[in-house]
Amino acid sequence: LVLKSTFPDQASNNEWARYYYYLGRIKAMQLEYSEAHKNLQISARKAPQNSATGFKQHVAKLTTTVDLLLGNIPARSTFLAKDVKQALAPYLQLTQSVKSGDLVKFDQVVQKFATQFQADHTYTLIMRLHHNVVKTAVRTISLAYSRIKFTDIAKKLMLDSPEDAEFIVAKAIRDGVIEAVLDHENGWMQSKETSDVYATREPQLAFNQRIEFCLDLHNHSVKAMRFPPKSYNKDLESAEDRREREAQDLELAKEMAEEDDDGY
């Protein structure tokens, strides 16, 4: 439906804010987290600054969840804003559990606030965060141990078997989460030395993302300053009205001239 429909350009900022919010929700459900995050940021910018507190809270909750799904940790100032501080309290605990890679704490937070997450329509997305928590835990383990057995990894991650731990570590290596080598015969993971992040493409990608954000912000600011179609001439008379007015003025001038002649 979104692809087949066109949102009117003359819509108000409030309508645009709702449009980008629901578009961000759709993209998040479709696993397009980057697009979802961008749309939600636009929605937050277009939302009223001094009102619509409930709407801004919903946007903040969904934005925080999508940010975590992208592998980012929202800034602490996000949770301290006056309008959203109380509403984002459960999401602050959720963020702390994801950041630490603590599976036990993550499960406790989800169980404790399950009703609220369901009411916020973020529960499905939050359940997807379990994989992110596992990846964070694996990264922490790889940094803490130069060599560790799969049985110990399984205990730390509360997995059923060492085979499950080996599979998760292998996937983390393939996804680029950690740099390590698996020794299947001896049953352990050998971590590699930490490489220089500036020797990779990661800084370039981060810089490119910031440039895209600034360009997008500029484009939306330009659109917001445009006048509605044909609003500049709504108070101007048409050519036909001008000709009619001039004819009336001419007739009035002739009548006044005739009256002056009759007076003499």
Side-chain angles (χ1 to χ4, degrees), residues 8-11 223 226-234:
D9 291 334
Q10 61 270 24
K223 286 183 179 180
R226 290 178 181 172
F227 292 101
K230 296 185 178 180
S231 65
Y232 62 90
N233 63 351
K234 64 181 180 180

Side-chain angles (χ1 to χ4, degrees), residues 44-228:
R45 288 201 304 268
K46 290 185 175 292
Q49 299 302 313
N50 300 320
S51 59
T53 303
F55 176 76
K56 288 188 286 188
Q57 289 176 355
H58 279 287
V59 174
K61 291 173 182 177
L62 187 56
T63 303
T64 301
T65 306
V66 172
D67 223 0
L68 292 173
L69 287 167
L70 283 170
N72 303 326
I73 302 299
R76 189 170 182 82
S77 58
T78 304
F79 304 97
L80 300 179
K82 182 179 179 181
D83 293 338
V84 299
K85 183 176 181 179
Q86 185 175 358
L88 289 183
Y91 293 85
L92 175 59
Q93 297 185 34
L94 183 70
T95 300
Q96 291 171 342
S97 64
V98 174
K99 182 179 179 181
S100 62
D102 191 337
L103 289 168
V104 176
K105 185 178 180 181
F106 175 78
D107 291 337
Q108 290 175 349
V109 172
V110 172
Q111 291 176 5
K112 182 179 179 181
F113 299 104
T115 304
Q116 182 171 343
F117 292 151
Q118 290 172 356
D120 296 337
H121 304 289
T122 56
Y123 184 79
T124 303
L125 296 174
I126 288 173
M127 294 308 296
R128 298 178 188 175
L129 284 172
H130 185 271
H131 180 63
N132 292 53
V133 180
V134 172
K135 288 198 300 184
T136 303
V138 171
R139 187 188 300 114
T140 303
I141 291 172
S142 69
L143 294 174
Y145 298 90
S146 60
R147 179 187 297 174
I148 184 172
K149 287 186 173 293
F150 296 135
T151 53
D152 296 330
I153 296 177
K155 291 178 182 178
K156 291 181 179 295
L157 299 181
M158 296 181 297
L159 302 175
D160 297 332
S161 64
E163 288 76 15
D164 292 340
E166 183 178 1
F167 170 77
I168 290 175
V169 172
K171 190 175 186 306
I173 294 173
R174 187 192 65 182
D175 295 341
V177 177
I178 62 173
E179 293 185 2
V181 177
L182 298 181
D183 191 333
H184 182 72
E185 294 181 357
N186 296 318
W188 65 52
M189 175 191 74
Q190 181 76 40
S191 300
K192 295 182 179 179
E193 294 184 3
T194 306
S195 60
D196 184 11
V197 68
Y198 291 100
T200 66
R201 294 184 63 242
E202 188 170 339
Q204 178 186 353
L205 296 175
F207 190 59
N208 184 63
Q209 184 179 8
R210 295 180 182 182
I211 292 175
E212 289 181 353
F213 172 78
C214 293
L215 292 175
D216 191 57
L217 178 61
H218 172 267
N219 292 336
H220 281 278
S221 300
V222 171
K223 286 183 179 180
M225 290 189 291
R226 290 178 181 172
F227 292 101

